[in-house]
Amino acid sequence: MLKGKKIVLGITGSIAAYKACYLIRGLVKQGAEVQVVITPAGKEFITLLTLSTLTGKPVISDFFDRRDGSWHSHVNLGLWADVMIIAPATASTMAKMANGIADNMLITTYLSMRAPVFIVPAMDVDMYMHPSTQNNIEKLRSYGNHILEAKEGELASHLVGKGRMEEPENIILAIDEFLDGNRDLEGQKILITAGPTYERIDPVRFIGNFSSGKMGLAIADECARRGADVTLIAGPVSLQTVHSNIRRIDVESADEMFHAVKEIFDEMNAAVLCAAVADFKPKQILSNKIKREKGELSIKLDPTDDIAAYLGKVKREDQKVVGFALETNNEEANAVGKLKRKNFDFIVLNSLQDAGSGFRYDTNKISIIDRSGCSDFELKPKTEVAKDIIDRLVELLAKRKLKE
Ligand code: CTP
């Protein structure tokens, strides 16, 4: 979506200014045209030569060029741009933006901007958490600006906390999605379970399964891309989530997953249950490693809670629950049984009999079954499968809105 887009990139005086170089590289690689406007403090952190080389354009920092008096029109920049990004945005620049103090070229350009503005703060944790900074961020958000919140982590000061600038690739992703325009899950809160669960036997062993979490994470990314507020409850998976709209809660066992789900389901509009939850857990978790002894070993198992059945029972009329069924035989009949038993709004069936489907593959072949029938889909990458599933969920949520 960034191809041919005109972007004004505002850079201010933060050490994270070096990340603006990666941001420019990424934007230019995608075909965007970037014009940098930098504050006087920003110039202390990064050279104009670096920026103009990366963008292929002279950097604008003053209202006019002192050598020949030529005027840099903030008004023209405001009309030229398709998007404005301010990254990094310091506490001071945000305070001025929130109050209309137009004492440099960047802020006059911001005040003249007709295009959407993305603000990406970066500063030390105490400055970021200070009520005045937080109030300014809220004020800027209320004016319709998009804020890509600072992230937790180690800061340049070596303090640890919130204040790190969002990574350039995530900024590009957010802008790309915004331009894509498909924000049909805006305002919806979606819960997603993903991955396997591990049920401990002793300090070194567990009962688990081969779920990789790929399908669940693809669904989480798709929902977030379409504007949803996503809470991902993930069993032990090694995959990373990138989207800033995804709140991730990592759990290990079926019990932990159940508790995490119960705690937040009430505030959700929908739940998509991709996790391969263990059906049984050892009756007892031994505190010492089981030793190899002659003869057989039996481990007594208790059933785990069925999270899906619980949600199917407690869900309100306005909440939708989507289930998954991974089957090896009698696929459709088993899936229809689960749809009814667990009171899902629809169920996604995949069969281990289909080549390229199921655990660990990057592709999947699904059928979507609801009370009115079954639709079959082709074998596709899991990211495409996620789109098909979420399209169906969006239809359901839209029907609910119509009823209201
Ligand atoms: N599920 C769940 N909690 C469980 C077991 C399953 O939430 N304890 C959910 C899965 O995430 C999936 C659906 O229920 O969305 C079906 O899972 P599956 O394991 O196929 O169903 P089971 O009821 O365990 O049936 P089976 O006898 O085939 O294992």
Side-chain angles (χ1 to χ4, degrees):
M1 299 308 299
L2 282 159
K3 199 166 172 25
K5 293 289 186 244
K6 299 188 186 82
I7 297 182
V8 167
L9 173 62
I11 299 176
T12 72
S14 153
I15 182 62
Y18 77 91
K19 288 191 185 174
C21 297
Y22 296 95
L23 180 58
I24 296 169
R25 285 282 297 146
L27 292 167
V28 170
K29 251 192 193 161
Q30 305 245 358
E33 201 181 327
V34 181
Q35 172 63 63
V36 171
V37 180
I38 196 164
T39 62
K43 286 198 274 187
E44 303 292 334
F45 286 88
I46 192 154
T47 73
L48 302 189
L49 179 63
T50 306
L51 297 168
S52 63
T53 307
L54 290 170
T55 58
K57 284 175 191 293
V59 174
I60 298 175
S61 58
D62 297 315
F63 291 105
F64 61 91
D65 190 323
R66 286 180 196 284
R67 287 161 312 177
D68 60 11
S70 58
W71 177 245
H72 296 137
S73 169
H74 51 277
V75 176
N76 285 348
L77 276 175
L79 296 173
W80 173 81
D82 295 306
V83 176
M84 181 178 194
I85 309 170
I86 301 168
T90 56
S92 161
T93 290
M94 289 194 296
K96 289 187 203 169
M97 286 165 67
N99 292 289
I101 301 171
D103 66 351
N104 64 41
M105 182 64 185
L106 174 54
I107 296 164
T108 46
T109 305
Y110 160 70
L111 289 175
S112 313
M113 191 52 61
R114 294 248 177 121
V117 179
F118 286 76
I119 301 168
V120 197
M123 67 202 72
D124 226 286
V125 54
D126 298 304
M127 286 180 87
Y128 189 68
M129 297 317 290
H130 196 283
S132 60
T133 306
Q134 289 298 314
N135 286 338
N136 287 331
I137 289 178
E138 274 327 301
K139 212 169 176 186
L140 288 167
R141 207 194 303 270
S142 74
Y143 297 156
N145 298 295
H146 303 267
I147 312 287
L148 302 183
E149 298 255 0
K151 292 285 166 275
E152 294 259 349
E154 195 187 344
L155 305 168
S157 61
H158 302 300
L159 291 176
V160 174
K162 224 173 173 183
R164 281 174 68 86
M165 189 175 106
E166 179 59 282
E167 293 306 324
E169 65 265 30
N170 291 343
I171 301 173
I172 294 171
L173 199 68
I175 288 163
D176 197 40
E177 285 167 16
F178 178 84
L179 295 172
D180 187 14
N182 188 3
R183 308 276 298 171
D184 49 10
L185 281 174
E186 191 91 62
Q188 301 285 347
K189 291 189 172 162
I190 315 269
L191 163 67
I192 292 157
T193 66
T197 65
Y198 287 178
E199 309 304 324
R200 287 180 186 232
I201 299 171
D202 68 14
V204 293
R205 303 182 180 92
F206 59 84
I207 300 173
N209 59 66
F210 293 121
S211 169
S212 62
K214 279 183 186 160
M215 193 65 247
L217 266 70
I219 290 181
D221 273 338
E222 177 66 10
C223 289
R225 206 181 60 75
R226 288 160 78 154
D229 230 320
V230 177
T231 305
L232 171 70
I233 301 182
V237 292
S238 52
L239 300 173
Q240 297 293 317
T241 32
V242 286
H243 209 291
S244 54
N245 276 9
I246 302 176
R247 179 168 75 109
R248 176 165 171 168
I249 302 172
D250 288 308
V251 296
E252 183 180 275
S253 64
D255 281 354
E256 284 175 19
M257 189 173 274
F258 187 42
H259 285 123
V261 166
K262 271 208 298 198
E263 215 153 83
I264 55 168
F265 181 64
D266 192 48
E267 58 196 73
M268 296 291 139
N269 299 102
V272 184
L273 306 174
C274 302
V277 188
D279 289 326
F280 294 95
K281 60 181 178 188
K283 211 171 188 55
Q284 242 193 319
I285 303 175
L286 300 172
S287 48
N288 292 319
K289 190 180 167 196
I290 302 174
K291 296 314 254 181
R292 187 187 176 92
E293 281 162 5
K294 278 195 189 125
E296 289 176 354
L297 171 72
S298 303
I299 298 171
K300 283 223 156 96
L301 302 176
D302 273 339
T304 56
D305 291 297
D306 188 331
I307 303 168
Y310 167 82
L311 295 187
K313 208 181 298 163
V314 301
K315 73 175 182 185
R316 301 184 303 264
E317 173 74 11
D318 62 311
Q319 290 176 305
K320 304 295 165 201
V321 178
V322 177
F324 272 71
L326 176 64
E327 304 292 337
T328 54
N329 57 319
N330 291 333
E331 289 92 337
E332 198 169 327
N334 284 335
V336 170
K338 283 174 193 173
L339 172 81
K340 291 184 183 155
R341 203 164 62 245
K342 304 194 188 206
N343 193 24
F344 291 137
D345 292 277
F346 67 84
I347 191 161
V348 180
L349 164 66
N350 47 93
S351 167
L352 280 186
Q353 305 289 355
D354 288 323
S357 268
F359 295 135
R360 291 191 279 201
Y361 287 104
D362 286 326
T363 50
N364 210 358
K365 183 173 181 336
I366 60 155
S367 304
I368 292 183
I369 304 174
D370 63 13
R371 281 165 185 74
S372 62
C374 172
S375 340
D376 297 322
F377 293 79
E378 298 296 308
L379 183 75
K380 296 179 184 184
K382 283 184 173 167
T383 46
E384 295 294 311
V385 174
K387 283 198 181 105
D388 292 332
I389 296 168
I390 297 312
D391 282 349
R392 182 64 75 93
L393 178 63
V394 166
E395 270 172 38
L396 269 186
L397 291 167
K399 271 189 201 150
R400 187 204 77 209
K401 271 200 185 142
L402 277 182
K403 271 199 214 159
E404 283 168 9

